[in-house]
Amino acid sequence: ALCCAPLLAGAAEDPVRAATPALRIFSGRDGLPENAVEGLALGPDGRLWAATQDGAADYDGRTWRVENLPQKARSNFLRCIATGPDGALWFGRQDGGVALESNGTWTDFSAHLPPAAQMVNTVLPEGPGVRIGPEKGGLGTWDGSHWSWITSAQKLPSDKVLSLAREDGALWVGTSQGLARVAEGRVAEVALKGVPIRSLLASAAGLLAGTNDGHLWRREGGVWKEEGLPSAFKGLPLTTLLGTED
């Protein structure tokens, strides 16, 4: 299910309302194709898109519209979603690689990807193309015309890619066995060896890396230091990191 907490009109006049934001939970009864939501993104027209375990849906503020993927019979299970600089939406699939939605038209990339890269954990749109992190196969890059790959044979810590982020012109790749910095098409640095990097966030205070077992690391001045987190996070995967203005 999906929870939304919009600001309340008139909350400034009522301190009780200001302290208790409205909360609405969307489920299949409201039009979502599935209650398990794997990712969210905003489309170019401001619509909210949800990537679920049974297809995509977009919300116009009133109703949900279900969008089935190309080759739905193969897999309609989505693992991630991201909006590109041109407003196009990229979806990572449980089976079928990646799919692109642009101005109502879908493009299916499953035939262009090797069998090992059909399950995609993360996507990072760049320019006319996209970077993908599959369950197997290493880092994939689509430049708008062809695919290229960086794998463990080129010193990537693992071919299972879990997260991606761009910071200061360098690409950071989180894998099941550590973190790699990729520059000029090659692995330039490996850090946090043996640590599964589930999430990444490039922030003003440095690059943050969340692990599968509840640890948070920060890279500042080229040095990695672990951040202290409440004990409640111990053993839990840090699946997503989101920056705030504070």
Side-chain angles (χ1 to χ4, degrees), residues 47-238:
R47 288 174 180 258
L48 175 66
W49 282 75
T52 82
Q53 291 185 4
D54 191 18
D58 64 83
Y59 184 65
D60 63 3
R62 288 182 150 186
T63 59
W64 288 95
R65 180 181 62 182
V66 175
E67 296 277 355
N68 290 315
L69 274 69
Q71 297 192 60
K72 176 187 175 182
R74 177 173 180 173
S75 178
N76 214 32
F77 188 131
L78 293 171
R79 297 177 64 84
C80 55
I81 179 176
T83 307
D86 58 355
L89 290 150
W90 291 89
F91 297 85
R93 306 174 68 174
Q94 177 78 3
D95 186 14
V98 288
L100 171 67
E101 193 280 341
S102 180
N103 298 318
T105 300
W106 286 89
T107 303
D108 175 30
F109 286 87
S110 59
H112 303 278
L113 295 171
Q118 294 296 323
M119 181 189 294
V120 175
N121 296 318
T122 182
V123 291
L124 179 64
E126 289 191 334
V130 68
R131 309 265 192 177
I132 69 169
E135 186 75 5
K136 302 177 182 178
L139 170 68
T141 300
W142 170 256
D143 65 4
S145 60
H146 74 282
W147 287 95
S148 60
W149 297 88
I150 296 176
T151 68
S152 55
Q154 287 86 45
K155 299 183 180 181
L156 198 67
S158 168
D159 287 333
K160 180 177 180 177
V161 177
L162 302 174
S163 52
L164 297 168
R166 170 77 62 180
E167 184 198 41
D168 294 334
L171 175 69
W172 288 92
V173 184
T175 79
S176 62
Q177 294 296 319
L179 187 61
R181 180 172 61 86
V182 174
E184 298 180 354
R186 64 180 183 85
V187 176
E189 177 185 347
V190 174
L192 304 178
K193 294 181 181 179
V195 178
I197 306 300
R198 184 68 178 270
S199 54
L200 290 168
L201 173 66
S203 72
L207 183 70
L208 294 170
T211 74
N212 252 351
D213 55 359
H215 294 273
L216 181 65
W217 293 81
R218 183 191 300 274
R219 184 181 189 266
E220 198 169 5
V223 178
W224 286 97
K225 296 181 180 179
E226 186 173 358
E227 296 285 314
L229 291 179
S231 58
F233 287 96
K234 186 177 181 180
L236 299 176
L238 300 184

